[in-house]
Amino acid sequence: MHVLATNPELYGTLIEAQAIPLFITLLSHENSDIVGATLNLLQELTDVDILNESVEGAEQLVRALLDARIVECIVASFATLNETVKDDADALHNGLTVFENILDFHPAFSQDCVQHGLFQWLLKRATQRGTFDGNKMYASEMLALLLQTSDAAREQLTAKVDGMELLLRALASYKRHDPTSLDEREHMENLFDGLCSSLLHPPNRKKFLDGEGLQLMNLMLRERKQSRESALKVLDHATTGPEGKENCANGKVDKFIQRQNKENTTPADKGDGDKMREYLDRLDGGLYTLQNVTLLLSDICVQLNSARQRAIKLFSMKVRQEKLSAHFIPILSEYAENLGETADEERRRIDTFIARLNAAEKAERKQ
């Protein structure tokens, strides 16, 4: 059989000999060694270089595999493999390679991957908690590929399970810790790429906001780890187009105004002269939330001009004061004044926000 992998012009004969149904039967065998050998053979038969040597034979093979529902069969075979055993882990890797090979030769195969269970399997495997390994990276690579190339994949991300939550949870582990290897760094970037692509589907942007995706990206920007640049890219995707700008800025501006109004109408207890107690009471009364929303909005607005312009427009419509500095700087200043003695880095961050907000408005006045 392995000899046929070097002679794709004979694939038609292979199909006539009813080899494909035999492969399907072997994939469901209870012996994982037989399953592994079958996946290895399929990986060789679908090697991209071999397929391109004989397009006619390759098309016959791919068509026969699709007719035999190869996606469902291989995904089902994964359940029989124990990835803690090297041979089984290699077999699973070969199975993923079969999918990648067919996708490369026949891009429309992405529909089958989404419809017949591979996409959901990749989503769960790529975001699975626990030890990082090569198959986890391979799963994230293929997940990102499907999200980049398939509208159906982007739509299904949150259809059966909350895939947005899974992606954000997996990425949250890189909030304060860098990947430990180049392969894990690639895995992290795959997850970010998949997240960016998923945001091309407008309903996923709402899921992103509801899942506190903006807050997570903001924390990554603050921590300055390897995830920082990719987090900024996600924010750019989240605010691209009318839906993104509306969802991102509108929700946060509304929340800002709501909390600011509550803060302004909360009576201050000036009788005891205890300013710290008064400040803590205000934090409990809504100031804490107002500060967090202000920090998030400030960070986004100084990083992304599109978000800044949207925020200006919203403030102008809702409270007739479009200057962001008038809204943000008093809150940022009070927040900085009440930071602890060891929070020098956070103070510098706030000073940067204030300086950049003022600089942007000064530049606009000159125009």
Side-chain angles (χ1 to χ4, degrees):
M1 283 287 191
H2 289 275
V3 176
L4 286 171
T6 60
N7 296 278
E9 66 276 4
L10 298 178
Y11 283 178
T13 303
L14 182 72
I15 294 166
E16 290 175 3
Q18 296 298 305
I20 303 303
L22 175 61
F23 295 157
I24 297 302
T25 300
L26 293 176
L27 285 173
S28 61
H29 201 282
E30 61 183 15
N31 188 324
S32 63
D33 290 338
I34 293 176
V35 173
T38 306
L39 290 171
N40 181 45
L41 176 58
L42 286 170
Q43 180 266 325
E44 292 182 4
L45 290 171
T46 58
D47 182 272
V48 175
D49 292 334
I50 300 298
L51 292 180
N52 287 324
E53 287 182 13
S54 174
V55 175
E56 182 180 353
E59 288 178 345
Q60 286 180 289
L61 176 65
V62 169
R63 192 179 309 114
L65 290 172
L66 295 183
D67 290 343
R69 304 179 76 87
I70 191 64
V71 176
E72 292 174 78
C73 295
I74 291 182
V75 170
S77 76
F78 287 167
T80 68
L81 301 174
N82 178 3
E83 289 190 73
T84 61
V85 177
K86 185 180 184 305
D87 287 345
D88 282 11
D90 290 343
L92 192 145
H93 191 278
N94 286 333
L96 293 177
T97 303
V98 172
F99 294 135
E100 184 179 27
N101 289 342
I102 298 176
L103 273 169
D104 189 274
F105 181 78
H106 184 62
F109 178 59
S110 62
Q111 291 296 110
D112 295 84
C113 294
V114 174
Q115 293 173 6
H116 300 304
L118 176 61
F119 177 76
Q120 290 295 329
W121 186 92
L122 292 171
L123 177 62
K124 293 176 182 177
R125 183 65 179 88
T127 59
Q128 181 179 322
R129 292 176 176 174
T131 307
F132 171 77
D133 56 45
N135 284 340
K136 192 173 188 178
M137 182 181 75
Y138 204 170
S140 67
E141 179 183 337
M142 293 196 63
L143 176 69
L145 176 63
L146 288 176
L147 285 168
Q148 288 165 1
T149 59
S150 170
D151 290 336
R154 292 189 283 269
E155 292 171 6
Q156 197 180 101
L157 180 67
T158 55
K160 294 184 178 180
V161 298
D162 192 345
M164 183 62 68
E165 180 183 353
L166 292 176
L167 283 173
L168 292 175
R169 188 179 67 192
L171 285 169
S173 62
Y174 300 109
K175 178 174 59 181
R176 293 191 175 91
H177 303 285
D178 284 332
T180 58
S181 66
L182 290 176
D183 282 347
E184 189 176 2
R185 171 72 183 269
E186 183 177 343
H187 167 69
M188 180 187 75
E189 296 297 342
N190 289 337
L191 294 177
F192 272 117
D193 288 344
L195 178 57
C196 287
S197 297
S198 75
L199 295 173
L200 295 173
H201 183 54
N204 287 343
R205 296 180 183 178
K206 186 176 187 307
K207 285 283 188 179
F208 175 76
L209 292 171
D210 292 344
E212 299 189 344
L214 282 176
Q215 288 87 333
L216 176 60
M217 297 305 116
N218 178 59
L219 288 172
M220 288 178 169
L221 290 175
R222 185 187 306 179
E223 292 295 332
R224 298 181 180 276
K225 297 296 183 181
Q226 291 178 14
S227 59
R228 187 175 189 273
E229 185 175 337
S230 295
L232 186 58
K233 183 171 65 173
V234 171
L235 287 174
D236 192 30
H237 278 74
T239 57
T240 297
E243 302 94 346
K245 293 175 184 176
E246 186 73 24
N247 286 340
C248 176
N250 202 10
K252 296 306 174 186
V253 168
D254 282 344
K255 193 168 186 178
F256 176 94
I257 294 171
Q258 177 186 359
R259 291 297 179 178
Q260 188 179 47
N261 289 338
K262 183 175 181 180
E263 165 69 10
N264 290 339
T265 56
T266 300
D269 180 10
K270 299 180 180 179
D272 59 6
D274 187 347
K275 292 184 178 180
M276 180 53 68
R277 176 62 179 272
E278 177 187 325
Y279 181 69
L280 293 175
D281 287 343
R282 289 171 57 214
L283 287 175
D284 289 338
L287 178 59
Y288 176 77
T289 301
L290 178 61
Q291 288 175 342
N292 280 321
V293 174
T294 304
L295 288 168
L296 179 57
L297 270 173
S298 299
D299 206 347
I300 294 172
C301 288
V302 300
Q303 298 281 355
L304 297 170
N305 186 57
S306 59
R308 181 175 172 276
Q309 294 301 322
R310 182 62 184 167
I312 289 172
K313 184 176 180 180
L314 288 169
F315 274 118
S316 178
M317 290 190 301
K318 294 174 184 292
V319 294
R320 301 188 182 282
Q321 170 55 275
E322 65 181 32
K323 282 190 175 182
L324 298 186
S325 60
H327 296 288
F328 296 166
I329 290 180
I331 298 167
L332 292 172
S333 298
E334 183 181 31
Y335 169 74
E337 288 172 4
N338 287 279
L339 289 171
E341 295 180 358
T342 61
D344 292 338
E345 184 175 347
E346 180 70 351
R347 282 194 189 86
R348 286 193 292 270
R349 190 171 78 99
I350 300 306
D351 289 343
T352 300
F353 286 167
I354 292 174
R356 293 182 68 175
L357 286 167
N358 284 328
E361 290 180 356
K362 184 177 180 180
E364 286 180 346
R365 286 196 298 270
K366 290 182 178 180
Q367 292 178 355

